[in-house]
Amino acid sequence: MTTSPTIYDEVRNGMLPAHIYNDAEIFERERRNLFSRAWLFVGHESEIPQPGDYVVRKVLDDSFIVVRDEKGEIRAHFNMCLHRGMQVCRAEMGNASHFRCPYHGWSYRNDGRIVGLPFHQEAYGGEEGFSRKGARLLPAPNLDTYNGLIFISMDPDAPSLPDYLGDFAFFLDFYTKQSAAGIELRGPQRWRVNANWKIGAENFAGDMYHTPQTHTSVVEIGLFREPKAEKRKDGNTYWAGNGGGTTYKLPPGTLEERLRYVGYPDDMIERMKQTWSQEQLDVIGDNGFMISAASVFPNMSLVHNWPKVEDGDDVLPFISLRTWVPISECETEVYSWFAVAADAPEEFKELSYKAYLMCFGSTGMFEQDDVENWVSLTNTAKGAMARRLLLNSRMGMLKDGSPVVEPLGDDEWAGPGVAHVGYGEYNQRHLLERWADYVEADAPEPQRPIGLGGVRLTPSAAAAAAAGDCATGDSCDAGTAAGDGSVDTEGVTA
């Protein structure tokens, strides 16, 4: 008896059931099996530089307060009061030593510890009724950073962030570590598009093939120095670890000449030489490839490009980070940040920001071109006919599975992973193969609910709370609420 292939088998074969881009059942599996387990980018340390600085970010339907506490530690608190579930913080960003729920006034320090319950004695009988020891806002199950990038995972048993990123960390440094000072972010801009979240992630991961068609007008108006969009085929696509991206092929020259070609001033070039490894420098200086767009599975993307921003032939590079936050199977919220080396010259920063706004962000020319395609794809994937169609995503692969073009050898590619010159859908296939592995496999059952205040607290949760609240020697009972309902509200925000 022959078993029919599943949609996940088809995806792994490079043939995509068209309805995966607009299907409520698949989206529910993504929510349950993918976004509950993967590492997800939620912000950058430069957005919360001072104690008390915070931003509020969402992971699908879950809201988190990402904050730097009074001791400088970065935390991510689930934005729900322990009492009746009201959002504790409703401002998108700010600075606060405490957060106070606007519903009944329960208050929390910015490290998450509860500091006050109005009428604690009268309403609860004091500590006998509600013990504040160990009570705190629910922390994200996992949090870690890389080059200042803040990631969380909803899975307490997720692999470490370095293991998850794998060799793609080598390429993240090009975007986020151009000097020892790291980067600073501006933004995010935020908007919604009526498109499935996977389309943007795939596009940034490796779709050089669309550039000559979709973005012809950008070249025709002279925004770029290169005369034809077809030059994209001279670059390569690479996949390493849990991410992949694209490059441009640079003209002959030294490392310094090639970095100047894309618009970097000499002082920034010197800092790059002092910061990047020899292999990272060789990707540009010896191999002649400059990184461009990329994606980290599942929904973080990056872009690096160098348009003209003033009259003349000079170009200036910009870097942007973004996430594709799913709202539904047919709607995505885009968060888009401008990124720049923290110690770059001020004039460079301003011109680079101008370059970013021209190309990407909510009004960027590339953005407008891309979104029109993505919305059309999503709409078309909704109907009955889409369930009869397998989209061919086997570009760069012969019928027997062998590559049209052999991957670059060690003498041609100094970076990790596998790289191919020319057009191909290698990276889209890698990304969707990972998607299939996550979505097909049911996630473990969620942990038993955690109840705080001395009621229904699992041993493992109690140990975690104690470690998080008392490891420094501070009292877990710090903070009081007087019987008249007053609390210490210095710096409190709603």
Side-chain angles (χ1 to χ4, degrees), residues 311-334:
D311 292 339
D313 291 331
D314 291 340
V315 298
L316 203 97
F318 71 88
I319 292 170
S320 176
L321 316 180
R322 64 173 51 200
T323 56
W324 316 95
V325 180
I327 302 300
S328 71
E329 65 273 15
C330 57
E331 187 176 11
T332 300
E333 188 162 43
V334 183

Side-chain angles (χ1 to χ4, degrees), residues 30 43 78 92 202 227 313 317 453:
E30 290 173 342
F78 180 43
E92 291 193 14
E202 292 176 44
D313 291 331

Side-chain angles (χ1 to χ4, degrees), residues 89-278:
C89 181
R90 293 181 292 172
E92 291 193 14
M93 60 183 66
N95 181 283
S97 62
H98 298 69
F99 299 99
R100 182 177 61 198
C101 176
Y103 197 179
H104 297 98
W106 286 33
S107 300
Y108 308 84
R109 292 187 177 186
N110 57 21
D111 65 5
R113 290 182 291 173
I114 194 165
V115 71
L117 287 72
F119 305 103
H120 186 205
Q121 185 63 43
E122 292 88 341
Y124 290 95
E127 292 296 307
E128 290 299 316
F130 185 97
S131 174
R132 290 168 298 170
K133 185 174 183 178
R136 55 162 296 160
L137 295 171
L138 198 62
N142 247 318
L143 182 149
D144 203 354
T145 63
Y146 182 82
N147 286 354
L149 304 171
I150 305 169
F151 291 82
I152 66 174
S153 174
M154 305 293 278
D155 181 2
D157 299 318
S160 70
L161 180 61
D163 286 345
Y164 181 85
L165 293 174
D167 285 337
F168 189 76
F170 177 98
F171 299 100
L172 265 180
D173 290 351
F174 286 110
Y175 301 94
T176 61
K177 193 179 178 183
Q178 293 188 345
S179 75
I183 58 170
E184 60 187 33
L185 267 56
R186 191 180 301 188
Q189 293 187 17
R190 197 179 75 186
W191 66 96
R192 291 190 179 190
V193 296
N194 293 321
N196 185 270
W197 70 272
K198 294 187 289 297
I199 306 171
E202 292 176 44
N203 183 280
F204 277 62
D207 193 346
M208 297 196 297
Y209 190 60
H210 81 290
T211 306
Q213 321 305 325
T214 298
H215 301 304
T216 300
S217 61
V218 174
V219 176
E220 289 177 344
I221 66 172
L223 186 62
F224 287 91
R225 179 172 49 201
E226 286 79 4
K228 294 183 179 180
E230 284 84 348
K231 281 186 65 67
R232 291 296 271 154
K233 70 179 183 299
D234 299 328
N236 72 34
T237 56
Y238 64 86
W239 186 272
N242 219 14
T246 67
T247 75
Y248 281 93
K249 183 65 176 176
L250 296 168
T254 65
L255 170 71
E256 292 81 2
E257 289 169 338
R258 284 170 161 167
L259 287 167
R260 290 188 198 111
Y261 176 81
V262 300
Y264 284 107
D266 286 347
D267 58 341
M268 293 185 70
I269 293 172
E270 285 305 310
R271 288 191 285 272
M272 292 172 187
K273 290 165 62 177
Q274 296 168 15
T275 305
W276 290 338
S277 69
Q278 187 59 54

Side-chain angles (χ1 to χ4, degrees), residues 266-303:
D266 286 347
D267 58 341
M268 293 185 70
I269 293 172
E270 285 305 310
R271 288 191 285 272
M272 292 172 187
K273 290 165 62 177
Q274 296 168 15
T275 305
W276 290 338
S277 69
Q278 187 59 54
E279 290 78 12
Q280 289 168 326
L281 295 170
D282 286 345
V283 166
I284 300 169
D286 286 354
N287 304 151
F289 292 111
M290 178 58 73
I291 57 103
S292 179
S295 288
V296 183
F297 180 80
N299 68 328
M300 177 189 183
S301 292
L302 312 99
V303 67

Side-chain angles (χ1 to χ4, degrees), residues 321-463:
L321 316 180
R322 64 173 51 200
T323 56
W324 316 95
V325 180
I327 302 300
S328 71
E329 65 273 15
C330 57
E331 187 176 11
T332 300
E333 188 162 43
V334 183
Y335 284 70
S336 176
W337 292 263
F338 164 72
V340 67
D343 53 7
E346 289 303 317
E347 182 181 10
F348 178 92
K349 290 181 180 180
E350 291 309 310
L351 290 174
S352 184
Y353 183 60
K354 181 179 178 181
Y356 157 73
L357 292 176
M358 290 166 56
C359 295
F360 286 93
S362 58
T363 60
M365 286 181 277
F366 282 91
E367 204 80 55
Q368 303 306 311
D369 291 342
D370 286 331
V371 168
E372 185 175 352
N373 292 335
W374 303 345
V375 170
S376 176
L377 192 167
T378 303
N379 288 340
T380 310
K382 179 70 172 179
M385 290 299 292
R387 294 181 174 272
R388 302 184 178 197
L389 179 62
L390 295 177
L391 305 174
N392 190 308
S393 186
R394 291 173 59 88
M395 186 188 303
M397 186 164 58
L398 300 174
K399 288 184 178 179
D400 64 0
S402 60
V404 172
V405 177
E406 290 298 322
L408 295 177
D410 292 342
D411 58 337
E412 301 170 291
W413 181 243
V418 178
H420 293 83
V421 169
Y423 297 135
E425 290 167 326
Y426 311 100
N427 290 2
Q428 292 95 313
R429 288 194 293 272
H430 283 302
L431 188 144
L432 286 176
E433 285 167 5
R434 278 165 167 70
W435 172 86
D437 290 344
Y438 271 87
V439 177
E440 183 179 30
D442 288 330
E445 288 296 316
Q447 289 190 326
R448 181 186 177 193
I450 297 172
L452 300 179
V455 180
R456 200 179 182 191
L457 185 65
T458 64
S460 60

Side-chain angles (χ1 to χ4, degrees), residues 20-57:
I20 69 171
Y21 296 107
N22 196 340
D23 184 279
E25 183 178 343
I26 288 174
F27 180 69
E28 186 55 39
R29 291 191 67 87
E30 290 173 342
R31 179 197 301 276
R32 186 171 66 248
N33 298 337
L34 169 55
F35 288 97
S36 66
R37 292 190 287 168
W39 282 94
L40 307 168
F41 173 68
V42 293
H44 187 267
E45 291 182 3
S46 66
E47 297 183 87
I48 49 172
Q50 302 299 323
D53 287 347
Y54 69 87
V55 294
V56 173
R57 297 284 151 77

